[in-house]
Amino acid sequence: MSDSENLEKKLKHYRLSRDEYERLTGLLGRAPQGVEWALFSALWSEHCSYKSSRIHLKSIFNRSERVLAAFGENAGVLDLGQGERIAFKIESHNHPSYIEPYEGAATGVGGILRDIFAMGARPIALANYLAFGEMSAPRMTALVDGVVRGVGGYGNCVGVPTITGQAEFHRSYNKNILVNALALGLFREGEPVLSARATGVGNLVVYVGAKTGKDGVHGASMASESFDSAGESKKPTIQKGDPFYEKLLIESCLEVMRERLVEAVQDMGAAGLTSSSFEMAARGGVGFKLELDRVPLRDRSMTAEEILLSESQERMLLIVRPENIEKVKSVFTHWSLDAEEIGTVTIGPDVELFWHGECICRIDPRLLTDEAPRYERPFDQWSPKHRVDSKSLVAMSASGMEQPAGQLLKILASPLGGSRAWIYRQYDQRVGAKTVFDCEENTGVVRLPDSGRQLALVLGGRPHVMRFDARVGGADSVAYPALELAAKGFLPLGVSDCLNFGNPENRDIMSEFVAALDGMNEVACELATPVISGNVSFYNETLGANITSTVATGLVGLGDPIDNTSIDACETLPPRSSFQNARDELFLLECDQITFTGMNAEFVGGATLGHGDINSRDTARFIQLVRHLALAGAVRSTRVVGKFGLPYALARMCTPSLGAKISWEPKIKGRWFDETLYQVIFAVEPDQAYEWRQLFEKIGANLPVKLVRLGEVTGDALVFEPRDRNQIWSVPTVKLRQAYETPWEI
Amino acid sequence: MKPIGVVRFLGTNCDQDVYDAVAAVGLTPKWIWHEDQFEVRDVAALVLPGGFSYGDYLRSGALAARAPVMKSVGEAARFGTPILGICNGFQILCEAHLLPGVLLRNNSLRFRDGWVELRKSSEAPAFRDVKASVRLPIAHGDGRYYIDEDQVKRLFDDDRVWWQYEQNPNGSLENIAGVMNEAKNVAGLMPHPERAMFGYSGGTDGRAFFSSLLALA
């Protein structure tokens, strides 16, 4: 074989491009040798280096006086005041979950938990954003089943409650599902926030947790490639998780952190020991001397390269002062875990890797991190998509909607509009005993144990809005969940985002990426809600077909305290999402910016079209208004109108014994299931409705919003009474419930 | 006031919740570590909280039942100390043969979270303040109570079935959610009373499981 053939083969094996090879030989001043190939392969992968997205991510709004840590650390940290701080982050585990759904989803949960407690925070809540294909697609039932079992299997065992989630279904995910996991952790007063920046020459580099095996070798570079038909052969790159080890790791790590025995911490995630050690050293501007033969192994036959790239789970790297090492070891022994000194912090700049006494690699870590390639992938300036003037929208056929009652029941009985209880009933939602609102509500809420304040967590990002227009979808990925928080009286504080996209080398995909990021950023900025953590997952593409560009977000919001000196205290709880009392008056608060045919168009096989555009400033002011109105004591239930429009939202508010009588009718005759961005339903106690309206007149007067009386909560049917008496329709609440709970499960 | 011992195994994850519940009713909780043994007379009662001890390896509760601390737990059981096993704690007590029967995989073969209504089948003396019917959260994968036919009849005859589900969530024999030993001082139940202590958490029916112990401490 010629030298050039040899080189081609090597580049293919290590998933490096010719340009990247030239760049790294330039940086090194020579050709890479030995394990250097593996190091560059891992750290210059899209997954670790963000080479296609970094120049765009720089513009993300990530500052506020509450932000204590943002990108660059394991997770973002927000100060809540009163001594309480939180860390949270959402991250993708798409590729592994498609190959091996149970382990892929489980290790996704495990990895995001480690990012949180690596900061020093105790994980107190989990959430997951799942996007599946059509249930009839090949393997889909097995994928749904495996992912849900995997998420539950891990989270339930470590004892962190899953308090909210989102599940989407669309054919664009048939061959590339999305599994994004979010974890949130709490620092109580006096508990330290740790960094992943290695410091202190002479300090020890300590390996803790499970032993290293061959699982997940080359995982990071695998996740940075599109799938070909040989997806099966990638199985050995999938890691296997052990939540029992994770639980022990949480307890032991938090103990040494709180005893102030640790200087810095990083999770061994993607690209394992390689990324954790080189990134820690590069951040701290120090070097490491590592003895790879001291790494605890499951398999004695492993090579140095395999040890460097293994993605075995439940492992952490700690930086410890020499005088503390014995104390650290005794804590880990107490929890039956290994803690092994595998090296020392040096003055640098090089990281030196030793294998049985021989130096096999000496390299400046910044070449692998700071000097990784940056690509300015070509993209087009965004122009609004799928827009028509309002006349054309009127002229569109309303086929399939002549029978709104039947259509509503069909929607409720489908995976698109049906209950997700089959999924979330498999997750422990109350371990930790802090849960106030579980997955039954759209917004998860926990009570912070010291201040008693309520902390809400909600996911966002609606693929059907992305398919309408990526810029609107990006804006909506913050606006919609922020509105959900506001409708429960919570102040949105921060965002974590997981950007799931197809192949960035495809100009259309890159254009959507830039537009969505721009839309998201604009709303976050107007709301003064910083984006503090997240990740980018590119190459969600199989055999040339890309997924719907999907921005998954997690937002946290802060609410009022609940007093626990009174056992039954419930008066400060947020308004519910279902009807509470007959005779409550129903109102629709609307900031009409876009009307589009929405999810129902996809459901009946029509075109997604609409008119209007998002104004971020108006949206942000609307969200603030909603929050003020939701906090008025007279409000008993609220719901943001989303997919399938107002009738669907009202149907979801009905209980077996409570329905509503509604005098509303759609703007375009017969088009009951179109969607308007944005609308919120309020149910207000009848004897206080007048004052509540006065409050709206006072604080909402100067905004482009409208308040309409919809009707009232009544007995056991949902009744629509438009002006045209021939158009009256109704559905008994029992039938709504039956349809909604129709098992689409497997 | 004698403390209430809260036993922690590797993988127990409802330990802090139980500790807080014990404290919330005005009792003094005390940690007991799986490797340690203790003086039976030093505790007023014991709670074995839920979780996934030893990752549910082998069978749920099987490894924990053989931990060193179980020697003391056995002595306490014979001594007459009230012992409450919740969820995985119930599984451990069964595996240790301190309670009759076993807990098998749910009949759905899936983990199941939710709220259940329970009715008291017979009285456990240490927990007599608990109402005759309660609503509590469940969260388990192995909650299907099973015992052979002769013995289940005897459990009912001896008033040793503590709680029954109104609607069976897991396929338990005779809707059994909790049982007692012969002396009725050792009791196990699958639902989680420590998660129903305050109005904001969805109900307060769990409180009496702990406050009943005030009479003993």
Side-chain angles (χ1 to χ4, degrees):
Chain A
M1 205 183 295
S2 73
D3 278 0
S4 85
E5 274 175 69
N6 235 334
L7 180 61
E8 283 308 319
K9 223 178 115 193
K10 260 200 144 140
L11 290 176
K12 192 165 186 294
H13 179 70
Y14 287 106
R15 297 175 169 106
L16 288 163
S17 73
R18 174 65 77 155
D19 289 346
E20 286 165 353
Y21 175 74
E22 314 243 294
R23 180 181 174 85
L24 78 88
T25 48
L27 286 167
L28 287 172
R30 57 174 169 78
Q33 297 159 358
V35 296
E36 287 171 356
W37 277 101
L39 298 178
F40 280 99
S41 167
L43 284 172
W44 282 18
S45 69
E46 186 69 55
H47 192 89
C48 290
S49 72
Y50 291 82
K51 57 193 172 192
S52 300
S53 56
R54 193 168 288 239
I55 57 164
H56 299 286
L57 299 177
K58 268 197 291 199
S59 64
I60 282 187
F61 171 71
N62 61 7
R63 252 161 278 165
S64 86
E65 64 219 23
R66 291 184 186 275
V67 179
L68 301 178
F71 296 93
E73 288 290 352
N74 284 306
V77 178
L78 287 178
D79 189 352
L80 305 182
Q82 303 184 27
E84 291 170 327
R85 290 138 297 150
I86 51 167
F88 70 103
K89 184 180 178 183
I90 186 167
E91 199 168 68
S92 62
H93 226 222
N94 307 335
H95 286 77
S97 301
Y98 185 71
I99 298 171
E100 174 47 84
Y102 185 96
E103 294 300 339
T107 54
V109 175
I112 196 63
L113 284 169
R114 282 194 296 286
D115 279 338
I116 299 307
F117 68 83
M119 298 302 296
R122 173 174 289 279
I124 59 165
L126 283 167
N128 54 80
Y129 185 105
L130 310 175
F132 298 113
E134 297 156 306
M135 293 305 278
S136 56
R139 284 183 73 217
M140 198 49 65
T141 50
L143 287 169
V144 175
D145 182 46
V147 165
V148 172
R149 280 182 193 274
V151 167
Y154 208 99
N156 298 343
C157 183
V158 294
V160 182
T162 297
I163 62 166
T164 191
Q166 189 166 332
E168 298 287 340
F169 297 88
H170 188 259
R171 62 176 183 281
S172 75
Y173 307 110
N174 279 1
K175 290 191 166 165
N176 193 130
I177 60 170
L178 303 185
V179 175
N180 296 177
L182 181 147
L184 184 152
L186 174 68
F187 303 86
R188 296 168 83 161
E189 182 141 30
E191 293 172 346
V193 176
L194 277 98
S195 168
R197 183 176 304 130
T199 52
V201 173
N203 283 345
L204 302 172
V205 181
V206 180
Y207 170 114
V208 298
K211 292 178 170 41
T212 296
K214 284 186 182 172
D215 42 345
V217 173
H218 293 300
S221 43
M222 177 274 291
S224 308
E225 265 196 336
S226 306
F227 278 131
D228 47 33
S229 51
E232 278 297 298
S233 67
K234 288 182 176 157
K235 258 192 183 164
T237 56
I238 306 306
Q239 319 82 328
K240 195 169 156 28
D242 185 338
F244 171 58
Y245 259 99
E246 182 98 336
K247 170 69 175 162
L248 304 182
L249 199 56
I250 293 176
E251 299 304 332
S252 49
C253 285
L254 290 179
E255 194 171 324
V256 291
M257 290 163 171
R258 283 160 192 182
E259 299 288 324
R260 315 255 168 185
L261 299 173
V262 180
E263 309 306 305
V265 185
Q266 181 155 344
D267 158 41
M268 285 188 236
L273 181 59
T274 300
S275 64
S276 52
S277 55
F278 283 82
E279 286 172 13
M280 281 186 102
R283 283 195 198 104
V286 293
F288 277 178
K289 187 180 165 198
L290 294 182
E291 294 171 71
L292 297 176
D293 45 291
R294 298 188 67 170
V295 171
L297 296 182
R298 271 207 306 266
D299 176 349
R300 289 257 138 234
S301 74
M302 288 180 76
T303 64
E305 181 177 319
E306 286 169 334
I307 292 169
L308 281 167
L309 291 185
S310 162
E311 293 190 0
S312 287
Q313 299 290 294
E314 293 90 27
R315 304 177 303 160
M316 300 280 241
L317 209 56
L318 314 180
I319 305 297
V320 177
R321 286 173 193 271
E323 62 266 31
N324 291 331
I325 185 66
E326 287 313 316
K327 284 187 201 150
V328 167
K329 281 189 165 177
S330 77
V331 169
F332 282 90
T333 305
H334 179 73
W335 291 99
S336 296
L337 290 177
D338 282 329
E340 190 66 43
E341 305 148 57
I342 60 163
T344 49
V345 177
T346 63
I347 191 143
D350 291 349
V351 169
E352 300 161 286
L353 304 177
F354 286 81
W355 182 242
H356 297 290
E358 185 196 340
C359 181
I360 54 165
C361 176
R362 174 176 288 130
I363 192 168
D364 185 334
R366 289 168 299 190
L367 300 187
L368 290 150
T369 56
D370 305 356
E371 293 297 333
R374 303 274 179 273
Y375 294 130
E376 194 157 355
R377 308 266 189 210
F379 64 92
D380 296 316
Q381 213 56 40
W382 195 250
S383 59
K385 302 285 185 288
H386 299 120
R387 300 302 209 285
V388 288
D389 55 32
S390 51
K391 267 193 207 131
S392 315
L393 207 59
V394 174
M396 276 181 63
S397 100
S399 79
M401 277 157 280
E402 304 84 5
Q403 303 286 340
Q407 180 66 11
L408 179 59
L409 289 172
K410 257 193 247 172
I411 290 167
L412 287 165
S414 76
L416 298 183
S419 167
R420 269 69 175 135
W422 175 81
I423 294 178
Y424 61 71
R425 270 205 311 253
Q426 299 185 52
Y427 305 149
D428 192 336
Q429 300 166 50
R430 295 188 169 268
V431 60
K434 297 177 191 72
T435 305
V436 178
F437 278 8
D438 60 20
C439 299
E440 290 280 340
E441 285 281 346
N442 310 24
T443 306
V445 178
V446 290
R447 178 182 177 276
L448 298 174
D450 298 323
S451 66
R453 290 179 297 175
Q454 299 175 72
L455 189 73
L457 176 62
V458 61
L459 298 186
R462 300 190 293 164
H464 77 284
V465 185
M466 290 293 292
R467 287 190 287 274
F468 168 62
D469 184 304
R471 195 174 191 284
V472 175
D476 182 79
S477 74
V478 174
Y480 190 80
L483 206 47
E484 289 186 297
L485 288 176
K488 303 293 163 199
F490 289 92
L491 179 70
L493 290 188
V495 181
S496 183
D497 68 327
C498 187
L499 305 166
N500 305 274
F501 285 75
N503 187 338
E505 296 158 50
N506 174 327
R507 194 178 180 104
D508 291 341
I509 301 296
M510 202 59 210
S511 306
E512 290 193 1
F513 178 80
V514 176
L517 196 59
D518 197 34
M520 179 189 86
N521 211 21
E522 214 179 278
V523 176
C525 200
E526 285 295 341
L527 272 176
T529 309
V531 183
I532 62 161
S533 60
N535 89 320
V536 181
S537 169
F538 275 130
Y539 297 99
N540 289 289
E541 177 196 44
T542 302
L543 298 168
N546 289 295
I547 59 158
T548 300
S549 299
T550 310
V551 179
T553 54
L555 270 69
V556 293
L558 193 60
D560 289 336
I562 311 172
D563 173 16
N564 76 343
T565 50
S566 142
I567 294 161
D568 288 314
C570 288
E571 62 274 8
T572 50
L573 293 190
R576 308 301 299 220
S577 300
S578 54
F579 296 139
Q580 299 297 303
N581 281 74
R583 292 186 50 247
D584 279 356
E585 293 208 26
L586 291 170
F587 295 93
L588 184 68
L589 183 65
E590 185 172 73
C591 177
D592 183 354
Q593 305 177 70
I594 289 181
T595 295
F596 73 120
T597 54
M599 203 175 241
N600 191 55
E602 296 184 347
F603 188 56
V604 300
T608 302
L609 292 168
H611 65 92
D613 215 337
I614 292 266
N615 177 314
S616 301
R617 177 154 301 174
D618 289 347
T619 304
R621 290 163 75 196
F622 179 62
I623 291 167
Q624 282 146 7
L625 173 67
V626 167
R627 179 167 166 263
H628 285 297
L629 291 173
L631 284 171
V635 175
R636 272 202 276 230
S637 19
T638 56
R639 190 168 196 105
V640 182
V641 181
K643 61 184 179 188
F644 299 110
L646 188 77
Y648 177 79
L650 287 165
R652 293 284 308 278
M653 296 183 85
C654 293
T655 68
S657 59
L658 291 175
K661 199 170 272 185
I662 302 297
S663 55
W664 176 89
E665 58 194 291
K667 271 177 279 189
I668 303 170
K669 198 176 168 194
R671 300 194 58 86
W672 291 92
F673 303 103
D674 283 355
E675 295 170 33
T676 298
L677 307 181
Y678 288 103
Q679 298 170 323
V680 182
I681 302 166
F682 289 84
V684 185
E685 284 180 40
D687 53 351
Q688 291 184 57
Y690 178 78
E691 285 94 64
W692 186 78
R693 284 188 86 147
Q694 295 294 107
L695 177 68
F696 165 76
E697 298 298 339
K698 204 172 116 203
I699 61 179
N702 301 320
L703 294 173
V705 297
K706 184 167 84 172
L707 185 72
V708 217
R709 189 176 179 281
L710 284 175
E712 62 174 18
V713 179
T714 58
D716 47 11
L718 178 60
V719 186
F720 284 87
E721 297 181 330
R723 262 164 299 174
D724 177 354
R725 307 303 285 178
N726 297 321
Q727 298 272 325
I728 292 178
W729 59 284
S730 74
V731 194
T733 51
V734 177
K735 277 181 105 174
L736 292 173
R737 175 68 39 176
Q738 258 173 9
Y740 182 63
E741 286 171 0
T742 298
W744 51 270
E745 67 198 50
I746 42 182
Chain B
M1 188 195 276
K2 274 195 198 174
I4 309 295
V6 179
V7 186
R8 310 174 90 182
F9 300 91
L10 294 178
T12 301
N13 65 25
C14 304
D15 41 354
Q16 189 67 48
D17 305 353
V18 166
Y19 189 96
D20 293 345
V22 168
V25 298
L27 287 161
T28 311
K30 181 189 174 200
W31 291 124
I32 298 177
W33 188 239
H34 66 106
E35 289 172 315
D36 299 338
Q37 305 204 347
F38 57 88
E39 180 53 55
V40 166
R41 279 166 226 275
D42 289 349
V43 290
L46 289 170
V47 185
L48 278 67
F52 283 72
S53 57
Y54 306 95
D56 272 0
Y57 292 141
L58 189 58
R59 289 187 307 277
S60 45
L63 297 178
R66 281 133 188 104
V69 73
M70 290 306 288
K71 192 163 170 265
S72 299
V73 174
E75 280 166 22
R78 286 184 291 279
F79 183 72
T81 307
I83 303 176
L84 173 63
I86 303 167
C87 200
N88 186 227
F90 182 13
Q91 294 161 345
I92 295 167
L93 291 173
C94 289
E95 283 284 347
H97 303 297
L98 295 173
L99 285 174
V102 288
L103 291 145
L104 304 174
R105 196 94 189 103
N106 293 350
N107 59 349
S108 63
L109 303 181
R110 294 178 188 283
F111 191 92
R112 177 66 191 262
D113 173 286
W115 287 81
V116 293
E117 313 264 339
L118 301 165
R119 66 168 180 278
K120 201 188 276 183
S121 183
S122 34
E123 197 71 73
F127 305 98
R128 65 170 78 248
D129 294 351
V130 185
K131 292 184 297 183
S133 78
V134 293
R135 189 172 164 271
L136 295 177
I138 53 163
H140 58 247
D142 298 335
R144 176 158 59 102
Y145 187 78
Y146 184 77
I147 194 164
D148 64 43
E149 264 176 51
D150 297 352
Q151 291 193 66
V152 79
K153 189 177 174 305
R154 255 186 34 219
L155 285 184
F156 278 103
D157 291 347
D158 296 348
D159 294 329
R160 288 167 60 194
V161 174
W162 188 19
W163 294 99
Q164 287 175 285
Y165 300 108
E166 294 289 358
Q167 279 193 313
N168 197 328
N170 51 29
S172 279
L173 192 68
E174 300 290 350
N175 301 327
I176 290 174
V179 297
M180 290 172 270
N181 66 346
E182 269 174 70
K184 298 190 176 188
N185 64 316
V186 182
L189 85 161
M190 283 316 290
H192 289 273
E194 79 281 9
R195 299 183 187 180
M197 298 291 291
F198 295 98
Y200 63 79
S201 57
T204 56
D205 288 353
R207 201 162 257 271
F209 284 82
F210 301 98
S211 59
S212 292
L213 298 172
L214 281 165
L216 307 160

